[in-house]
Amino acid sequence: DDAKNTALSDAGVCAADVTYTKDRLDYDDGMRVYDVEFFSGNKEYDYKIDAASGAILGFDFDVEWYTVSSKASDYIGEAKAKQIVEQAAGTTGVYTEFKLEVDDGRVLYEGEMRSGWMEYEFEIDAVTGAILDWDADWD
């Protein structure tokens, strides 16, 4: 229950708005972790939480059932997309990949940023600036 509460708190959602798809104790690289996965609205969340300390070791979320198409003049721009990534990560870093692409009918900025031992992978809606996919892991 503590692992679920940690994930819900980090995601900023309440238990009443969630449908769990997985919540189990597992092993990852020899470490006991809780895998907590759930849907809230149109987002699918996946958390890996250290069973001993309760620390979040990794997480990601994906926006499901969402499409948008637009003109290039409507895009938020690379600088704004990077600002959104750095704000979500709470740090700055080095972008090892950053590109504008069309995926499933939507235009997005996709890439990776490294900061210390952390690696952040992301997809940002190029029109709205919404984070569509996010993954943060210790490298």
Side-chain angles (χ1 to χ4, degrees):
D1 285 338
D2 287 342
K4 284 183 183 179
N5 290 334
T6 297
L8 292 175
S9 176
D10 186 72
V13 298
C14 60
D17 298 330
V18 165
T19 302
Y20 288 97
T21 57
K22 184 193 301 184
D23 60 344
R24 69 174 187 216
L25 184 60
D26 203 355
Y27 284 90
D28 186 19
D29 296 329
M31 185 184 328
R32 291 175 51 126
V33 298
Y34 287 102
D35 281 330
V36 180
E37 296 179 16
F38 55 91
F39 276 94
S40 180
N42 67 339
K43 291 184 181 179
E44 177 188 28
Y45 296 86
D46 182 6
Y47 279 84
K48 191 172 294 185
I49 299 174
D50 185 315
S53 70
I56 297 172
L57 301 174
F59 70 95
D60 68 29
F61 68 87
D62 302 302
V63 175
E64 305 291 333
W65 318 296
Y66 178 79
T67 61
V68 67
S69 59
S70 175
K71 305 178 297 201
S73 62
D74 293 337
Y75 300 162
I76 60 172
E78 183 176 319
K80 178 67 175 173
K82 287 181 177 180
Q83 180 184 20
I84 291 167
V85 170
E86 292 166 4
Q87 184 176 18
T91 187
T92 59
V94 175
Y95 290 87
T96 57
E97 184 178 329
F98 192 92
K99 60 187 172 187
L100 181 68
E101 71 175 32
V102 177
D103 186 17
D104 294 331
R106 65 183 172 226
V107 181
L108 50 91
Y109 292 99
E110 180 180 290
E112 296 177 5
M113 180 185 79
R114 296 181 65 80
S115 180
W117 292 99
M118 289 296 293
E119 178 179 81
Y120 303 91
E121 295 179 28
F122 57 87
E123 290 180 357
I124 308 289
D125 185 296
V127 176
T128 67
I131 299 173
L132 302 175
D133 189 16
W134 182 263
D135 188 22
D137 287 309
W138 290 98
D139 189 32

